[in-house]
Amino acid sequence: MSKLPPVLANLPLPIIGSPLFIISNPKLVIAQCKAGVVGSMPALNARPAAQLEDWLAEITEELAAYNKANPDKPAAPFAINQIVHKSNDRLEHDMEMVVKYKVPIVITSLGARTDVNDAVHSYGGVTLHDIINNKFAQKAIEKGADGIIAVAAGAGGHAGVKSPFALVQEIRQWFDGPIALSGSIATGGAVLAAQAMGADFAYIGTAFIATEEARASDEYKQAIVDGTSDDIVYSSLFTGVHGNYLAPSIVKAGMDPANLPEGDVKTMNFGGGEGSKAKAWKDIWGSGQGIGAVTEVATAGAFIEKLKREYQEARQRLAL
């Protein structure tokens, strides 16, 4: 078994909801946590920057009240995602808010920094760093991250190309701490499969886009419901880093999904929280390959209950 920090031990369901750029908000995070999974959102989703403190206060107070009223069934902890990219000119401010509100879990992306990990550790928080290969995983742990989010092939957003089997087994050869696996996980059976191959948690993002609490357009949500893995395009055009996107949104933007030019990583820009080409590509929808399992738009709580049932059914099939 992995060595898990207390905040990640004994979760009702071994799931971390991944931070969805623009889409995640306090309403979704709170719903996820109350339903028993770690809810998360990018700090940059709060715009202007001053809104982040309001959101952190809302989440902290709402979950504290829930836990007081439900001592026998407390909410799962929440996480904030920090983009540790040199263009993110809000990082210092946003980390001050993270420390002030003692955010239990911080997920770092696009760069590992010792000072960020030290700031979270100063109040007893835990850091998880997302990576796409074993080399980056080793660097993250060397710089003080407590755990790894292994972003395998098929994940939504900035995804890697490694098979989850290869990625997890390589990391497990040297690391006995917490690992969350990301990549096409949208059912309870897939959650159990992630654990079977050596991960501690499933990292689920795309399926939460099709929830009532998510801050996505109705058209986007329906596209997740209607789509399958055949509708996913892997491209670097939109941010400069390869990621997975819904082909229908690319077509609607007047481009051919099968003939997209390469992007330039130098154009990635998170200054002011706007994200790379946020305005130019605001109608290009990110999505992982697991959407074939998403059949309806539901509340986050209802979707998580479905995952719980499927997870238990999968355990029973294997007599676990």
Side-chain angles (χ1 to χ4, degrees), residues 10-264:
N10 305 313
L11 292 179
L13 198 60
I15 292 174
I16 297 173
S18 68
L20 302 166
F21 188 57
I22 299 177
I23 294 168
S24 297
N25 58 13
K27 187 176 181 181
L28 178 58
V29 171
I30 291 167
Q32 290 172 320
C33 293
K34 287 182 177 180
V37 310
V38 175
S40 73
M41 69 176 189
L44 292 178
N45 279 11
R47 305 179 192 183
Q51 188 179 50
L52 181 60
E53 180 163 16
D54 296 335
W55 281 8
L56 290 176
E58 179 183 353
I59 294 169
T60 302
E61 292 166 8
E62 180 72 20
L63 293 182
Y66 178 86
N67 290 343
K68 184 176 181 180
N70 299 274
D72 58 333
K73 191 180 179 181
F78 75 99
I80 290 295
N81 172 224
Q82 295 285 22
I83 303 297
V84 189
H85 186 267
K86 60 184 180 181
S87 68
N88 180 8
D89 55 10
R90 275 183 46 177
L91 182 61
E92 182 177 354
H93 166 272
D94 291 352
M95 282 304 302
E96 288 177 359
M97 293 299 100
V98 161
V99 173
K100 178 177 180 179
Y101 284 87
K102 298 182 178 179
V103 173
I105 304 164
V106 172
I107 298 167
T108 53
S109 306
L110 297 176
R113 280 176 44 174
T114 302
D115 59 330
V116 172
N117 292 322
D118 289 346
V120 177
H121 293 157
S122 71
Y123 60 83
V126 168
T127 60
L128 305 175
H129 187 68
D130 64 5
I131 56 85
I132 60 172
N133 59 43
N134 189 40
K135 178 182 177 181
F136 288 160
Q138 291 173 331
K139 286 184 176 181
I141 298 304
E142 289 172 1
K143 292 189 176 183
D146 300 294
I148 294 297
I149 297 168
V151 185
H158 292 149
V161 296
K162 298 283 189 179
S163 160
F165 293 96
L167 189 54
V168 172
Q169 73 182 10
E170 289 180 359
I171 297 171
R172 274 290 176 238
Q173 288 175 0
W174 58 270
F175 183 60
D176 63 358
I179 295 177
L181 177 62
S182 172
S184 308
I185 301 175
T187 67
V191 173
L192 185 60
Q195 289 184 298
M197 72 174 70
D200 301 289
F201 310 99
Y203 196 68
I204 300 178
T206 300
F208 281 110
I209 296 172
T211 58
E212 293 180 8
E213 294 88 349
R215 193 172 59 173
S217 68
D218 291 342
E219 186 180 8
Y220 189 177
K221 294 179 183 182
Q222 193 58 46
I224 296 293
V225 173
D226 294 340
T228 70
S229 58
D230 289 338
D231 296 306
I232 305 304
V233 176
Y234 190 62
S235 173
S236 64
L237 172 62
F238 307 109
T239 67
V241 176
H242 275 91
N244 282 314
Y245 303 91
L246 278 169
S249 69
I250 297 173
V251 172
K252 188 176 180 180
M255 294 176 285
D256 180 0
N259 293 285
L260 295 175
E262 289 294 310
D264 183 354

